[in-house]
C-alpha cells in the first residue's frame, strides 16, 4: 500500500488541473492531509530510528530499554525511500489528550544489566538522537549555544557532564504541542503524504472543525526517582511536574542494577500559526540556511569565472575562424602547410576513441542521472516532494531513474552508431548501459548492507526489499533501456563534417602531461586540438567529471579531520561507500555535460571551415 500511495503522488499535476476547473478559493500542497482533533481526543506519538551525526548506523528505538506501548510494538507503513534511508517508524506509549495538560508516569524498567549499561553508554557517547513524530511533525528541541538559540530535531539518548565520567539518561520529557483552532473554510487541500493522496473539499468542513497540530517541541531532562515507589503506579497515572534542568545529584545515572523510571509532561499552547505554515520552522533551521548560502555562493563564483573564461575563449575562436575564412583557397592551403594547430587534425579529430563502448555507456548513464536530477529539482520546486512526505524524494528519484532508462539506451546506442558507423553490437551497448551504474551501486550497497546486518542496524535492507529492487531494475529499467537502444538504431545517424584518415596522425611530444590542461571541457578540447592532439574524447569527459574526484576527496578529508569521533571502522566504511556512489553519479552526470558540449563544439568548429 505504501508503494501505491507513493506512486499516486505523481498524479498530482493532473489533480491540480482538475481543481482549477472547480470553484474554490484556495488549495494547498502540504504533503499530507490536514487532520483536526477534537477536545480531549487521544493522540499518540510515533518514534523513528535512533540517528547520530557521529556514525552512519541507525538503530531501532526499542533496541534500548525504553517503555513499550500496551498493545505491543506496531510498525507504520513505510515507502521505498524510508526503507532505504533506514527509517523505522513504530508506535510508542506516549499518549496525549488534546488541550489537556498533564504529567504522567510510563514505566519503570528492570534492573539494568551489563549489556544494557554498555549499550546506553555507547549510544550516549556516540551522540545518538531520539526522533519522535506527532501528526507527521518531527519533534523540535531548542538549545542555547554561545548566546544563540539553535534548533534541533530530536533529543539525545543521554549526556555526559563536563568533567564527569558518569553518563546520565534522558528519562523525563517536557512536551509542548502548539495547536491552532480550525473552524472549516472554503479551501481545497491536496494530500500527498503517508496517508495517500486525496482532496478535502468544503463538504467535509463540518467534520474538520477542531484543533490542528502546528508545532511539536520537547525539553529533555534526567530525573532520578524512587523506583520502588514509582513501580506501584500504573501507566498514565499522574506524577509531580519537574523543573528542568536538574542538579547532577538529582539526575538518573546509567549504572548496573539501576531501575529507570520514565515519565513525561505535555502542555498544549494555542498558536496563531496556520497549518500550511507549520513546516516553516524546519525549513528555516540555522544549519540549513548556512548550507544553502554556501552552495549558492560557490555556484555564483563558479558561474562568474566560467563565464569570463568562456567569453574570452569564444572571442579567440571566432577571430581565428574569421581570419581563416577570409583567405582564398590557395592561401588556405599554404597556411595549412605552414601553420600548426587544430586545422592539422582535421583528418583525425573524429577518429574512434579507445574504449569507445565504455564511453557510450557512461554518457548514456550520465544522461539518465542528469535527467533524473533535473526532473526531481523541478518537482521539488513545485512542491510535489514536500518534507512532510518522508522518503518521497528518494522514492521519486528511484522511479524517475528507472523510467529514464529509455533515454539512456537511446543516447548510448546513437553515440555508438555515430562512432562505429553501424548499429552492430547495439544490444551489448544497451545491456552495459542498463547494468553499469546500477550494477556498481548494487554491489557496493550489498557489501554495506552485510555490515549493517552484522550490527543489527535499521539501515539494513530486508532480503525481500533486495529482491524487490532487483525486480524493479530488471523488469523496468533494463527493458526500457533495450527499447531506447532499439530506437537509437532507427534514429538518424550523426554525420561528421569531415572525413577520417586511414592512418592516424602522429601527436607531437609535449613537455608537460596533458592532464594539466583541466580548465573546462570545451576549453580543454580546444587547447588539445591546438597542440595537434586529436584524442579529446575521454579528456573532455573527465575534464568535467573530475569535479567528482574533488567531491570524493573532500568527503574523505571531512571524514579524517572533521569526523574524528566517527564510531568505529564500520561507520567509516559506510561513509566512504556512500561517498563513492554519490561521486560516481556526479562524475557520470558532469562528465556527460562536458562531453556533449565538447562534441557539439568540435562538430561546429569543423563544420564552419571547409578543409579539403
Amino acid at each position: 500500500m505504501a508503494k501505491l500511495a507513493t506512486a499516486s503522488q505523481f498524479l498530482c499535476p493532473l489533480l491540480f488541473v482538475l481543481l482549477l476547473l472547480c470553484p474554490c478559493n484556495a488549495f494547498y500542497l502540504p504533503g499530507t492531509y490536514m487532520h483536526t482533533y477534537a477536545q480531549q481526543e487521544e493522540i499518540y506519538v510515533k518514534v523513528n530510528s535512533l540517528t547520530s551525526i557521529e556514525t552512519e548506523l541507525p538503530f531501532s528505538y526499542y533496541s534500548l530499554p525504553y517503555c513499550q506501548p500496551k498493545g505491543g510494538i506496531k510498525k507504520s507503513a513505510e515507502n521505498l525511500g524510508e526503507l532505504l534511508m533506514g527509517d523505522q517508524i513504530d508506535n510508542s506509549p506516549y499518549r496525549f489528550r488534546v488541550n489537556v495538560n498533564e504529567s504522567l508516569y510510563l514505566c519503570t524498567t528492570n534492573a539494568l544489566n551489563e549489556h544494557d549499561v554498555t549499550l546506553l553508554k555507547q549510544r550516549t557517547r556516540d551522540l545518538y538522537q531520539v526522533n519522535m513524530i506527532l501528526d507527521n511533525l518531527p519533534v523540535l528541541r531548542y538549545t542555547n549555544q554561545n548566546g544563540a538559540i539553535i534548533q534541533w530535531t530530536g533529543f539525545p539518548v543521554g549526556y555526559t557532564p563536563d568533567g564527569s565520567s558518569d553518563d546520565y539518561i534522558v528519562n523525563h520529557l517536557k512536551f509542548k504541542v502548539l495547536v491552532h483552532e480550525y473552524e472549516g473554510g472554503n479551501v481545497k487541500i491536496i494530500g500527498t503524504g503517508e496517508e495517500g493522496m486525496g482532496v478535502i473539499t468544503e463538504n467535509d468542513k463540518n467534520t474538520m472543525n477542531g484543533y490542528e497540530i502546528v508545532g511539536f517541541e520537547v525539553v529533555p531532562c534526567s530525573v532520578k526517582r524512587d523506583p520502588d515507589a514509582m513501580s506501584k503506579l500504573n501507566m498514565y497515572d499522574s506524577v509531580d511536574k519537574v523543573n528542568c534542568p536538574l542538579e547532577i545529584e538529582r539526575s538518573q545515572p546509567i549504572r548496573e542494577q539501576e531501575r529507570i523510571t520514565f515519565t513525561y509532561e505535555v502542555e498544549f499552547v494555542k498558536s496563531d500559526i496556520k497549518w500550511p505554515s507549520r513546516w516553516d520552522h524546519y525549513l528555516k533551521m540555522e544549519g540549513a540556511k548556512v548550507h544553502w548560502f554556501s552552495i549558492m555562493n560557490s555556484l555564483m563564483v563558479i558561474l562568474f569565472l566560467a563565464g569570463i573564461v568562456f567569453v574570452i575563449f569564444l572571442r579567440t575562436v571566432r577571430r581565428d575562424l574569421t581570419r581563416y575564412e577570409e583567405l582564398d583557397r590557395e592561401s588556405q592551403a599554404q597556411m595549412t602547410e605552414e601553420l600548426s594547430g587544430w586545422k592539422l587534425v582535421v583528418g583525425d579529430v573524429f577518429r574512434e576513441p579507445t574504449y569507445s563502448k565504455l564511453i557510450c555507456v557512461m554518457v548514456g548513464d550520465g544522461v539518465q542521472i542528469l535527467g533524473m536530477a533535473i526532473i526531481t529539482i523541478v518537482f521539488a520546486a513545485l512542491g510535489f516532494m514536500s518534507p512532510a512526505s518522508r522518503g518521497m524524494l528518494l522514492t521519486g528519484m528511484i522511479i524517475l531513474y528507472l523510467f529514464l532508462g529509455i533515454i539512456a539506451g537511446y543516447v548510448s546506442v546513437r553515440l555508438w552508431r555515430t562512432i562505429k558507423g553501424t548499429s552492430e553490437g547495439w544490444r551489448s551497448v544497451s545491456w552495459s548501459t542498463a547494468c553499469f551504474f546500477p550494477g556498481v551501486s548494487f554491489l557496493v550497497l550489498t557489501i554495506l548492507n552485510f555490515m549493517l546486518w552484522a550490527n543489527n542496524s535499521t539501515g539494513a535492507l530486508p532480503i525481500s526489499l533486495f529482491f524487490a529492487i532487483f525486480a524493479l531494475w530488471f523488469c523496468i529499467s533494463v527493458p526500457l533501456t533495450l527499447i531506447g537502444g532499439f530506437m537509437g538504431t532507427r534514429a538518424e545517424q550523426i554525420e561528421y563534417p569531415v572525413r577520417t584518415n586511414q592512418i592516424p596522425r602522429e601527436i607531437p611530444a609535449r613537455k608537460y602531461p596533458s592532464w594539466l590542461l583541466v580548465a573546462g571541457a570545451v576549453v580543454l578540447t580546444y587547447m588539445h586540438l591546438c597542440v595537434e592532439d586529436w584524442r579529446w574524447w575521454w579528456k573532455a569527459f573527465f575534464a568535467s567529471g573530475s569535479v567528482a574526484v574533488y567531491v570524493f576527496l573532500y568527503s574523505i578529508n571531512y571524514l579524517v579531520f572533521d569526523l574524528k569521533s566517527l564510531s568505529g571502522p564500520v561507520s567509516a566504511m559506510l561513509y566512504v561507500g556512500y561517498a563513492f556512489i554519490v561521486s560516481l553519479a556526479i562524475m557520470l552526470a558532469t562528465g556527460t555535460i562536458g562531453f556533449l558540449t565538447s562534441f557539439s563544439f568540435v562538430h561546429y568548429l569543423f563544420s564552419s571551415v571547409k578543409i579539403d
Side-chain angles (χ1 to χ4, degrees):
M1 293 301 294
K3 292 181 180 178
L4 292 176
T6 303
S8 68
Q9 293 165 3
F10 290 95
L11 298 176
C12 287
L14 177 60
L15 190 58
F16 169 69
V17 174
L18 294 177
L19 283 178
L20 291 180
L21 303 177
C22 303
C24 59
N25 291 340
F27 69 93
Y28 177 62
L29 279 163
T32 60
Y33 289 131
M34 180 176 67
H35 195 112
T36 57
Y37 300 91
Q39 181 76 13
Q40 297 189 1
E41 181 180 348
E42 290 188 355
I43 51 179
Y44 286 85
V45 175
K46 294 182 180 181
V47 290
N48 204 340
S49 300
L50 306 175
T51 56
S52 171
I53 59 173
E54 299 292 329
T55 173
E56 296 294 326
L57 295 171
F59 290 99
S60 170
Y61 173 83
Y62 291 107
S63 64
L64 297 181
Y66 287 132
C67 302
Q68 298 188 6
K70 288 183 177 180
I73 302 172
K74 299 177 182 177
K75 299 183 183 299
S76 298
E78 296 172 328
N79 57 44
L80 179 60
E82 288 177 300
L83 292 172
L84 291 175
M85 292 190 298
D87 288 348
Q88 180 176 311
I89 302 174
D90 304 315
N91 60 334
S92 82
Y94 289 93
R95 184 207 68 185
F96 301 160
R97 292 185 295 174
V98 176
N99 287 334
V100 177
N101 300 336
E102 49 193 350
S103 180
L104 304 176
Y105 165 82
L106 276 183
C107 73
T108 300
T109 66
N110 296 325
L112 297 180
N113 56 35
E114 182 181 359
H115 176 266
D116 294 332
V117 172
T118 302
L119 196 59
L120 282 170
K121 284 180 173 288
Q122 182 180 355
R123 298 290 183 266
T124 298
R125 295 180 180 180
D126 288 343
L127 303 182
Y128 270 89
Q129 302 284 312
V130 178
N131 300 293
M132 292 186 169
I133 303 168
L134 180 66
D135 193 40
N136 209 40
L137 280 180
V139 68
L140 281 179
R141 173 172 59 96
Y142 295 92
T143 60
N144 191 329
Q145 295 185 1
N146 300 323
I149 302 298
I150 306 298
Q151 192 173 301
W152 305 84
T153 55
F155 58 90
V157 170
Y159 62 94
T160 305
D162 295 335
S164 173
S165 59
D166 292 328
D167 300 308
Y168 296 84
I169 189 173
V170 170
N171 64 333
H172 182 79
L173 302 174
K174 295 173 67 72
F175 292 107
K176 182 166 71 172
V177 181
L178 304 180
V179 293
H180 178 78
E181 188 171 3
Y182 181 76
E183 298 179 352
N186 195 14
V187 178
K188 296 204 173 188
I189 301 168
I190 301 177
T192 60
E194 60 183 4
E195 298 90 349
M197 186 183 73
V199 180
I200 302 174
T201 64
E202 12 178 356
N203 296 329
D204 305 316
K205 66 182 181 181
N206 293 329
T207 63
M208 293 171 57
N209 293 343
Y211 296 90
E212 308 160 346
I213 296 176
V214 295
F216 184 35
E217 303 173 6
V218 68
V219 176
C221 56
S222 181
V223 181
K224 184 173 179 60
R225 299 180 185 268
D226 182 1
D228 295 327
M230 300 302 293
S231 59
K232 296 177 181 179
L233 300 175
N234 295 319
M235 185 177 286
Y236 305 128
D237 283 350
S238 297
V239 295
D240 295 334
K241 293 186 176 182
V242 176
N243 293 322
C244 300
L246 299 176
E247 300 82 4
I248 293 298
E249 295 76 16
R250 299 174 57 191
S251 300
Q252 176 63 58
I254 303 175
R255 295 173 185 162
E256 289 189 42
Q257 301 306 315
E258 286 280 348
R259 300 176 64 193
I260 301 175
T261 297
F262 288 90
T263 55
Y264 70 98
E265 302 174 30
V266 58
E267 177 188 9
F268 284 83
V269 178
K270 291 188 178 181
S271 172
D272 293 331
I273 299 174
K274 295 184 178 181
W275 190 75
S277 303
R278 66 178 191 159
W279 277 91
D280 290 354
H281 290 292
Y282 301 89
L283 301 177
K284 296 178 181 179
M285 293 177 68
E286 187 67 23
K289 185 184 299 183
V290 174
H291 178 69
W292 283 110
F293 177 78
S294 300
I295 291 178
M296 293 305 299
N297 182 58
S298 301
L299 287 177
M300 292 303 296
V301 171
I302 292 173
L303 290 175
F304 178 72
L305 295 178
I308 294 177
V309 173
F310 196 68
V311 168
I312 297 174
F313 167 71
L314 285 180
R315 289 173 61 88
T316 303
V317 174
R318 186 175 293 130
R319 184 169 55 249
D320 195 8
L321 288 174
T322 302
R323 183 168 61 90
Y324 187 84
E325 290 175 348
E326 289 177 350
L327 302 176
D328 54 29
R329 296 182 62 87
E330 294 183 0
S331 300
Q332 288 182 12
Q334 182 180 0
M335 188 181 72
T336 301
E337 295 176 358
E338 296 177 353
L339 298 180
S340 61
W342 58 269
K343 309 170 198 66
L344 298 182
V345 297
V346 63
D348 299 273
V349 67
F350 291 108
R351 186 175 300 281
E352 179 182 346
T354 56
Y355 306 107
S356 55
K357 179 180 177 180
L358 180 59
I359 198 170
C360 293
V361 169
M362 295 178 75
V363 169
D365 280 340
V367 170
Q368 189 175 6
I369 294 172
L370 195 62
M372 175 199 68
I374 294 174
I375 297 176
T376 300
I377 292 173
V378 172
F379 270 75
L382 294 176
F384 292 106
M385 294 184 177
S386 166
S389 302
R390 289 177 304 276
M392 182 183 174
L393 179 63
L394 186 55
T395 303
M397 291 174 66
I398 293 174
I399 293 175
L400 286 171
Y401 183 84
L402 293 174
F403 283 95
L404 286 175
I406 190 170
I407 305 297
Y410 176 84
V411 172
S412 59
V413 170
R414 192 173 186 195
L415 180 60
W416 172 259
R417 285 189 62 207
T418 301
I419 294 175
K420 289 289 188 177
T422 177
S423 299
E424 185 178 355
W426 71 270
R427 292 181 182 85
S428 175
V429 174
S430 299
W431 271 102
S432 300
T433 303
C435 298
F436 177 70
F437 177 71
V440 173
S441 302
F442 198 80
L443 177 62
V444 174
L445 290 177
T446 301
I447 297 174
L448 298 181
N449 205 60
F450 278 115
M451 297 180 183
L452 293 170
W453 271 336
N455 287 271
N456 297 319
S457 171
T458 59
L461 302 180
I463 190 66
S464 58
L465 183 61
F466 249 79
F467 283 113
I469 296 175
F470 200 76
L472 288 174
W473 178 15
F474 270 91
C475 294
I476 298 179
S477 183
V478 172
L480 286 177
T481 305
L482 291 173
I483 292 173
F486 178 76
M487 293 170 62
T489 62
R490 295 294 183 268
E492 183 180 354
Q493 182 176 335
I494 301 175
E495 298 293 339
Y496 293 145
V498 292
R499 295 189 302 271
T500 301
N501 297 332
Q502 293 184 352
I503 302 176
R505 180 184 179 86
E506 183 179 356
I507 299 174
R510 292 189 299 272
K511 298 180 180 180
Y512 52 87
S514 61
W515 56 265
L516 290 177
L517 296 176
V518 181
V522 178
V523 178
L524 171 67
T525 300
Y526 183 71
M527 294 174 67
H528 270 80
L529 295 179
C530 286
V531 295
E532 303 176 31
D533 187 350
W534 42 267
R535 298 172 302 184
W536 59 271
W537 302 75
W538 281 109
K539 293 168 185 175
F541 186 92
F542 285 114
S544 296
S546 60
V547 67
V549 178
Y550 168 79
V551 172
F552 184 75
L553 293 179
Y554 181 84
S555 301
I556 300 302
N557 177 77
Y558 183 74
L559 170 65
V560 173
F561 296 102
D562 293 337
L563 293 180
K564 297 179 181 179
S565 58
L566 196 67
S567 178
V570 174
S571 295
M573 293 184 67
L574 289 171
Y575 183 91
V576 173
Y578 296 145
F580 173 77
I581 294 175
V582 173
S583 299
L584 178 60
I586 293 175
M587 183 194 72
L588 292 173
T590 56
T592 296
I593 295 174
F595 175 83
L596 295 179
T597 304
S598 296
F599 184 88
S600 301
F601 165 74
V602 173
H603 195 280
Y604 165 77
L605 183 65
F606 286 89
S607 299
S608 302
V609 179
K610 301 298 182 182
I611 302 179
D612 296 331

